[in-house]
């Protein structure tokens, strides 16, 4: 058993039932992320209704690659139009 594997196995056993296949789980809480929308400022540009994933337990947020690409596209549209 590798270092930390026991802790990971413990968390996986606590995985909530009803989790969707291929769902992203928070590495700290092993809780399924939920999709949220909020206003986001980047490079001095305010983007409204930006989609992200948030852990309902610890509130950690992250962007999927698709969400990150959408943010980049919106920034470029705002800068060059």
């Amino acid at each position: 058993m590798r270092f930390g594997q026991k802790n990971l196995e413990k968390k996986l056993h606590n995985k909530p039932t009803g989790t969707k296949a291929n769902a992203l789980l928070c590495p700290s809480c092993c809780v399924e992320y939920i999709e949220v929308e909020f206003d986001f400022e980047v490079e001095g540009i305010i983007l409204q209704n930006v989609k992200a994933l948030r852990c309902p337990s610890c509130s950690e947020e992250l962007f999927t690659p698709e969400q990150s690409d959408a943010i980049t596209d919106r920034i470029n549209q705002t800068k060059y139009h």
Side-chain angles (χ1 to χ4, degrees):
M1 185 177 300
R2 295 181 306 203
F3 178 74
Q5 187 174 356
K6 185 174 184 179
N7 191 31
L8 177 62
E9 288 173 356
K10 184 178 172 184
K11 286 183 179 180
L12 288 177
H13 289 297
N14 293 332
K15 181 178 161 185
T17 57
T19 301
K20 299 176 208 155
N22 299 323
L24 291 176
L25 300 179
C26 174
S28 301
C29 307
C30 285
V31 175
E32 184 178 347
Y33 284 100
I34 57 171
E35 189 171 70
V36 295
E37 288 186 6
F38 57 94
D39 294 345
F40 183 68
E41 182 177 347
V42 61
E43 298 179 17
I45 300 169
I46 298 174
L47 301 175
Q48 295 180 332
N49 302 321
V50 172
K51 292 184 180 183
L53 298 177
R54 179 181 294 149
C55 173
S57 181
C58 71
S59 299
E60 177 184 353
E61 294 176 336
L62 61 88
F63 297 109
T64 65
E66 296 81 13
Q67 291 166 336
S68 182
D69 290 344
I71 291 169
T72 301
D73 291 344
R74 289 176 65 183
I75 291 169
N76 289 336
Q77 288 175 359
T78 303
K79 279 184 175 180
Y80 303 114
H81 287 99

